[in-house]
Amino acid sequence: MLNRLRVRFSKDRKFGESLRNILGFYPRNVALYRKAFTHSSAALEIKEGVKDSYERLEFLGDAVLGTVIADYLFKKFPYKDEGFLTKMRSKIVSRVQLNKLSVRFGLQKFIEADFGFSKNNHSVNGDVFEALIGAIYLDKGYDFTRRFIQDKVIQDHLDIEEIEQTETDFKSKFIEWAQKEKKVFSFVVVDEIMNGSERQYIIEARIDQQVLGKGQSISKKKAEQIASEQALARLGS
Amino acid sequence: MLNRLRVRFSKDRKFGESLRNILGFYPRNVALYRKAFTHSSAALEIKEGVKDSYERLEFLGDAVLGTVIADYLFKKFPYKDEGFLTKMRSKIVSRVQLNKLSVRFGLQKFIEADFGFSKNNHSVNGDVFEALIGAIYLDKGYDFTRRFIQDKVIQDHLDIEEIEQTETDFKSKFIEWAQKEKKVFSFVVVDEIMNGSERQYIIEARIDQQVLGKGQSISKKKAEQIASEQALARLGS
């Protein structure tokens, strides 16, 4: 019993120290961080149907991250309107960006998942990054988390000016995905609707004739963008 | 000059005291709260194309409110999964709910808007409520705002158990809206798509033959719900 406690304690300490090397601080409640890295395939059931995995922390971390980024952008761009702020934030917290951040922080090695589950699974890296933010928030409070995100995430890893320049081009990404996976993609105008005196196009993004996204806009380009964004979300890319 | 300052000072003090009566604390930076109640129709332009109105604060407040509610639900429901938490949160911060809260707090009387703009405008109340949260956050910090929302908003004004029971029924709301406005509404199955072996229905929600929302699902009911939700968003309800 004592021995088991000793093993547990030493494992926790090692994990805590690895985290310190990456995050720059030593966690108080190590169990929270363990949970942040536990995929449901490797998690225990704490109650019928509810697993002790990272999803709940991810929900919390997603909100905290969104608020800290909102605060940062609000202050950095005092003369930009809410449309700009919203767009910038969604670029910063996009799946692609979060996956990248997770890899840069080297979080992959902490992920606990069952055999047969690939750690390279598209979105698990980003999920775990958000869950980690949730764990830090519960462990250390909001102000600490805000400073961590500003200093260690934004400052060290994000190029805000570059992100500002990048137009999110969902159509290109959708086509890239299809080409990589060797699938046949198509964009099909399936309907034109008169909205008052405005003509709106409804365009579907398809993979192998299967509809994965639909966009509606007065501009065909814009409708394709919306359809592609939807399709990518469905593909988890 | 001195006189003008005196008038300004006395106006600020009166405003600050009215706020204290409603919020339970005296604001530090009164100007922030003024901005939170200023609709763009009554706002000055601070830079070309950017008005000194509540929209930026609303963007910030929306994020802060979402985080505080996430934190609250995370702790209140330790055995519920992230799907439940997400759904509960979106019910709590729905337009309808925020408009109600705004009216309950009596925020309407503070709203500065130009003549010809109706304060009864559907969503301005909720917008202003979120902007107020943004102002409190900037003025007093996150922890203060969290306590304010938990004690003065959730505790005093929300019935979490009741909200948990309520299913958000967008279809009924859409029909109610149409009947109130004496418009002809319809739901039309415009397409059926085979998705693998699954049949998906595409259903449009229309007002006077104009398409306002489209839903896609294997269940007709669900597709109608999605179409109605989209239509309501477009109608600003």
Side-chain angles (χ1 to χ4, degrees):
Chain A
M1 168 67 184
L2 200 65
N3 207 29
R4 229 197 283 161
L5 266 179
R6 222 176 263 141
V7 170
R8 177 85 228 213
F9 181 72
S10 125
K11 264 182 85 179
D12 274 359
R13 212 167 118 168
K14 245 178 96 180
F15 179 55
E17 272 161 15
S18 305
L19 282 174
R20 189 187 49 201
N21 289 338
I22 283 178
L23 305 176
F25 64 89
Y26 198 92
R28 243 189 301 254
N29 182 350
V30 171
L32 270 174
Y33 296 79
R34 275 205 195 286
K35 191 184 291 189
F37 292 113
T38 305
H39 185 261
S40 56
S41 66
L44 296 172
E45 216 169 42
I46 41 172
K47 226 196 138 186
E48 218 191 293
V50 185
K51 286 196 164 180
D52 205 22
S53 55
Y54 65 60
E55 283 86 353
R56 282 170 42 90
L57 282 172
E58 183 195 349
F59 164 76
L60 187 59
D62 170 78
V64 173
L65 184 64
T67 296
V68 172
I69 303 291
D71 173 313
Y72 172 83
L73 294 171
F74 185 93
K75 288 165 184 164
K76 185 174 172 74
F77 298 104
Y79 297 118
K80 295 285 192 175
D81 68 15
E82 69 287 359
F84 172 87
L85 301 177
T86 305
K87 210 168 159 190
M88 273 297 284
R89 182 174 57 179
S90 65
K91 284 196 241 174
I92 294 174
V93 299
S94 71
R95 270 302 113 187
V96 177
Q97 196 67 254
L98 294 180
N99 289 343
K100 253 195 248 171
L101 279 169
S102 191
V103 172
R104 286 235 200 148
F105 272 90
L107 300 185
Q108 269 172 308
K109 63 174 169 292
F110 296 126
I111 299 175
E112 300 274 350
D114 204 8
F115 299 110
F117 174 81
S118 161
K119 286 190 188 181
N120 294 319
N121 179 308
H122 31 68
S123 73
V124 69
N125 286 306
D127 296 350
V128 154
F129 183 82
E130 289 183 318
L132 173 66
I133 300 295
I136 299 174
Y137 170 80
L138 289 177
D139 191 36
K140 299 279 201 170
Y142 179 81
D143 288 322
F144 185 96
T145 311
R146 185 172 60 76
R147 278 193 304 272
F148 172 79
I149 295 172
Q150 292 200 353
D151 299 347
K152 301 276 170 180
V153 181
I154 300 176
Q155 206 100 293
D156 290 358
H157 294 288
L158 296 179
D159 185 335
I160 297 295
E161 277 69 33
E162 195 199 299
I163 292 172
E164 196 182 340
Q165 304 306 323
T166 321
E167 263 308 308
T168 321
D169 181 2
F170 295 110
K171 188 181 172 186
S172 305
K173 273 188 205 152
F174 175 70
I175 295 174
E176 269 167 39
W177 182 91
Q179 287 170 339
K180 215 184 77 195
E181 303 287 327
K182 307 206 185 310
K183 307 264 187 192
V184 179
F185 70 89
S186 57
F187 290 95
V188 183
V189 182
V190 289
D191 210 350
E192 292 180 22
I193 293 170
M194 291 307 290
N195 199 340
S197 63
E198 242 178 44
R199 181 188 307 278
Q200 297 227 340
Y201 296 98
I202 297 182
I203 294 183
E204 292 178 352
R206 300 184 187 172
I207 292 283
D208 292 342
Q209 286 313 313
Q210 193 180 312
V211 180
L212 291 183
K214 258 195 181 187
Q216 175 173 347
S217 171
I218 50 165
S219 132
K220 281 190 187 174
K221 247 187 194 164
K222 182 84 193 146
E224 287 176 348
Q225 283 289 336
I226 298 168
S228 301
E229 184 178 6
Q230 234 177 64
L232 287 166
R234 203 168 292 177
L235 294 165
S237 294
Chain B
M1 170 67 184
L2 200 65
N3 208 29
R4 232 198 279 161
L5 267 179
R6 221 175 265 143
V7 170
R8 178 86 228 215
F9 182 72
S10 124
K11 264 182 87 178
D12 274 359
R13 212 166 121 171
K14 248 178 95 180
F15 179 56
E17 273 161 14
S18 305
L19 282 174
R20 188 187 49 199
N21 289 338
I22 283 178
L23 305 176
F25 64 89
Y26 198 93
R28 243 188 300 254
N29 182 351
V30 171
L32 271 174
Y33 296 80
R34 275 204 194 289
K35 192 185 291 191
F37 292 114
T38 305
H39 184 262
S40 57
S41 66
L44 295 172
E45 216 170 43
I46 41 171
K47 225 195 141 187
E48 220 190 292
V50 185
K51 286 195 164 182
D52 205 20
S53 55
Y54 64 61
E55 283 85 353
R56 282 169 43 89
L57 283 172
E58 183 195 348
F59 163 76
L60 187 58
D62 170 79
V64 173
L65 184 64
T67 297
V68 172
I69 302 291
D71 173 314
Y72 172 83
L73 294 170
F74 185 93
K75 289 164 184 164
K76 186 175 171 71
F77 298 103
Y79 298 118
K80 295 286 192 174
D81 68 15
E82 69 288 358
F84 172 87
L85 301 176
T86 305
K87 210 168 158 190
M88 273 297 284
R89 182 174 58 180
S90 66
K91 285 196 238 172
I92 293 174
V93 299
S94 72
R95 270 301 113 187
V96 177
Q97 196 67 255
L98 294 180
N99 289 343
K100 254 196 244 170
L101 279 169
S102 191
V103 171
R104 286 234 199 149
F105 272 90
L107 299 185
Q108 269 172 307
K109 63 172 169 292
F110 296 126
I111 299 174
E112 300 273 350
D114 205 9
F115 299 109
F117 174 82
S118 162
K119 285 189 189 182
N120 294 319
N121 179 308
H122 29 67
S123 74
V124 69
N125 286 305
D127 296 349
V128 154
F129 183 81
E130 290 183 318
L132 173 66
I133 299 295
I136 298 173
Y137 170 79
L138 289 177
D139 191 36
K140 299 278 200 171
Y142 178 81
D143 289 322
F144 185 96
T145 311
R146 186 172 60 77
R147 278 194 303 272
F148 172 79
I149 294 171
Q150 292 200 353
D151 299 347
K152 302 277 171 179
V153 181
I154 299 176
Q155 204 99 296
D156 291 357
H157 294 288
L158 296 179
D159 186 335
I160 297 295
E161 276 70 33
E162 195 198 300
I163 292 172
E164 197 182 338
Q165 303 308 322
T166 321
E167 263 307 310
T168 320
D169 180 2
F170 295 110
K171 188 180 172 187
S172 305
K173 273 189 206 152
F174 174 70
I175 295 175
E176 269 168 38
W177 183 91
Q179 287 170 337
K180 216 185 76 196
E181 303 285 329
K182 307 202 186 314
K183 308 263 189 193
V184 180
F185 71 88
S186 57
F187 290 96
V188 183
V189 182
V190 289
D191 211 349
E192 291 179 24
I193 294 170
M194 290 308 289
N195 199 338
S197 64
E198 241 178 44
R199 181 188 305 278
Q200 296 228 340
Y201 296 98
I202 297 181
I203 294 184
E204 292 178 351
R206 300 184 186 172
I207 292 285
D208 294 342
Q209 285 312 312
Q210 194 181 311
V211 179
L212 291 182
K214 259 195 180 186
Q216 176 173 347
S217 172
I218 50 164
S219 134
K220 281 192 188 173
K221 247 188 194 163
K222 182 84 191 143
E224 286 176 348
Q225 283 289 337
I226 298 168
S228 301
E229 185 178 6
Q230 233 177 63
L232 286 166
R234 203 168 291 178
L235 295 164
S237 291

